[in-house]
Amino acid sequence: MMRKVLLGSAAVAVFLGMLFAAAPAQAVGVSAGASTWYAWWSYTPDPGGDFKPGLLYGPVLGIDLAKQWSITGVFLTGSLEDPMYKYRRYDSDTVVNYSITRWMKIYGGLKYIRFDYNADGKQPAIFGSADSSYRSMGPGGGIGFMLPLSDSLFAIVNLSGLYCFGKFKEPGTSDDARDIGYNVTAALAWHIASASTTLTLGGRYQYLDSQYDTMKDYDSKTKFYGITFSAVYHFRTGDSE
């Protein structure tokens, strides 16, 4: 099953490479910045006890390849706690965007989700080792809308779905799983032309239905929801006179 995921990842990489090769060097726009997501969360079956929210944070990178094509990558990580464990969570999206109109786009790409935790309850360090984990990867895609409210203020809504293949590991046990879910984001974006920067504030809701191959008692439905904020700087590279 993981072989299919790796083949899918390779296909995405090849497609991105083709887009890079086709893009005119003098017309490449670049966006770089940071994104945050303060997320509350819970899952069922509910184990009882408190679920502690946490701040996920990480970089944003975008490349405008052609008039209607672009690539966007967002990588987030942070700490979350449930009644049993302290988790290091990773959430990554790499997508190819196609603008149907100036205010509407469709997109598709690769979704990566990862939870690391230790059986003794100690918090895993970022990119550190852990004795237990859940890692999931697969395709995702959706549609986005942008509504101008003024010359510099915009309302943004993105709707997407995902289907990922996961691997669960704890000391002495492991199992394969599938994640079926969706994301909804809504935000206001303020473009500061003088600083070539866009500030975005809004909210995000993510739902995951995790289904295990053999360990059916571990099947769960997880919800993440909270406040998002990003700051992204835009510039152009490779211009020729």
Side-chain angles (χ1 to χ4, degrees):
M1 188 171 292
M2 291 306 295
R3 183 180 299 177
K4 294 180 180 179
V5 174
L6 294 175
L7 289 174
S9 302
V12 171
V14 170
F15 182 53
L16 297 184
M18 292 171 62
L19 286 179
F20 271 113
Q26 72 274 17
V28 176
V30 180
S31 301
S35 181
T36 63
W37 182 20
Y38 190 81
W40 289 265
W41 73 302
S42 64
Y43 58 80
T44 56
D46 191 335
D50 294 333
F51 288 82
K52 294 185 179 180
L55 179 66
L56 280 69
Y57 53 89
V60 178
L61 179 63
I63 307 290
D64 296 327
L65 296 175
K67 184 177 181 180
Q68 295 171 289
W69 292 93
S70 64
I71 300 173
T72 306
V74 181
F75 177 84
L76 300 175
T77 184
S79 299
L80 296 171
E81 294 185 32
D82 70 6
M84 296 178 289
Y85 300 110
K86 297 178 180 178
Y87 298 88
R88 167 64 60 175
R89 188 194 175 194
Y90 303 87
D91 187 287
S92 175
D93 295 279
T94 304
V95 299
V96 178
N97 306 281
Y98 177 74
S99 297
I100 298 174
T101 70
R102 187 178 179 185
W103 314 116
M104 179 181 176
K105 68 177 181 179
I106 55 174
Y107 55 92
L110 187 66
K111 179 72 180 182
Y112 178 71
I113 302 166
R114 172 177 160 187
F115 289 86
D116 287 348
Y117 59 101
N118 291 305
D120 62 6
K122 292 183 179 179
Q123 175 72 61
I126 182 171
F127 302 123
S129 60
D131 58 32
S132 304
S133 67
Y134 182 79
R135 304 183 184 190
S136 186
M137 183 186 299
I143 188 169
F145 303 93
M146 182 171 64
L147 176 67
L149 303 178
S150 70
D151 289 342
S152 59
L153 188 65
F154 306 87
I156 299 173
V157 176
N158 291 317
L159 310 171
S160 65
L162 60 91
Y163 190 97
C164 294
F165 300 93
K167 185 71 174 183
F168 167 77
K169 291 184 178 180
E170 277 190 349
T173 186
S174 66
D175 197 9
D176 292 324
R178 291 168 304 282
D179 289 311
I180 304 169
Y182 61 87
N183 285 268
V184 179
T185 62
L188 291 176
W190 178 35
H191 180 64
I192 308 173
S194 60
S196 300
T197 299
T198 301
L199 304 179
T200 305
L201 177 65
R204 178 182 178 186
Y205 179 88
Q206 184 183 84
Y207 173 84
L208 298 174
D209 184 351
S210 301
Q211 303 172 0
Y212 287 77
D213 283 358
T214 59
M215 301 166 56
K216 297 301 183 182
D217 290 344
Y218 280 63
D219 287 357
S220 63
K221 294 177 173 58
T222 309
K223 301 174 183 179
F224 301 90
Y225 49 94
I227 301 168
T228 60
F229 176 78
S230 66
V232 177
Y233 176 70
H234 312 278
F235 61 96
R236 300 183 70 82
T237 184
D239 287 327
S240 60
E241 300 297 336

